[in-house]
Amino acid sequence: MKRKRLYYFIILLLIIFLGIFSREFDEIPLCTGDFLYAVMMYTFIRILLIEKKATQILIFALLICYTIEFSQLYQADWINELRKTLFGRYVLGQGFLWSDILAYTFGTFTAFLIERIALKNKL
């Protein structure tokens, strides 16, 4: 089990790096970062709940991503100030977009499918 967590942790670090890297270049579409954010969320939850079924991880990751996105509709001063920080911008986002919901959906389902294929082939 520790080996599995280490494997997922290394993948998580790679995804975080790619997500931050994707924001540095204008040529990379913004939705790429949102897609990778969802993959990162799936991987992070997998690390925490290593024994749960993949479908449970998928649902939990989607709920968290959707909750964070819909929370952007809440515009109180204190949370807007938090969103102006680097941490707030990366974790909470800045504004609600339906395209982000779509990117999160594709990201979590992609992570789910890759995991299912990798486990089936024992990679």
Side-chain angles (χ1 to χ4, degrees):
M1 185 171 334
K2 285 185 180 183
R3 190 172 188 192
K4 270 186 169 180
R5 278 197 168 111
L6 178 61
Y7 171 72
Y8 282 110
F9 182 72
I10 291 168
I11 292 171
L12 178 74
L13 293 178
L14 177 64
I15 294 165
I16 291 170
F17 172 76
L18 290 173
I20 292 170
F21 183 77
S22 75
R23 298 290 185 182
E24 298 298 319
F25 296 96
D26 293 334
E27 296 82 18
I28 299 174
L30 284 176
C31 65
T32 304
D34 298 316
F35 175 89
L36 290 170
Y37 183 88
V39 174
M40 179 211 61
M41 189 60 68
Y42 182 95
T43 307
F44 179 69
I45 294 167
R46 170 53 74 200
I47 291 168
L48 295 177
L49 306 173
I50 198 80
E51 293 298 320
K52 296 292 184 187
K53 293 180 180 181
T55 52
Q56 292 172 309
I57 302 299
L58 171 70
I59 291 167
F60 200 45
L62 277 173
L63 287 174
I64 290 173
C65 289
Y66 291 171
T67 299
I68 290 171
E69 189 64 26
F70 280 102
S71 76
Q72 293 172 22
L73 295 171
Y74 179 67
Q75 295 293 315
D77 289 337
W78 69 272
I79 200 162
N80 286 338
E81 287 302 315
L82 182 60
R83 287 182 182 126
K84 290 179 185 176
T85 66
L86 182 64
F87 175 80
R89 193 167 47 251
Y90 281 144
V91 174
L92 300 175
Q94 294 180 306
F96 177 85
L97 294 171
W98 284 105
S99 60
D100 290 353
I101 296 290
L102 191 60
Y104 295 150
T105 303
F106 281 126
T108 53
F109 273 96
T110 300
F112 170 79
L113 291 173
I114 288 172
E115 182 182 43
R116 298 293 292 216
I117 292 168
L119 290 177
K120 183 177 180 182
N121 296 326
K122 306 249 191 279
L123 294 177

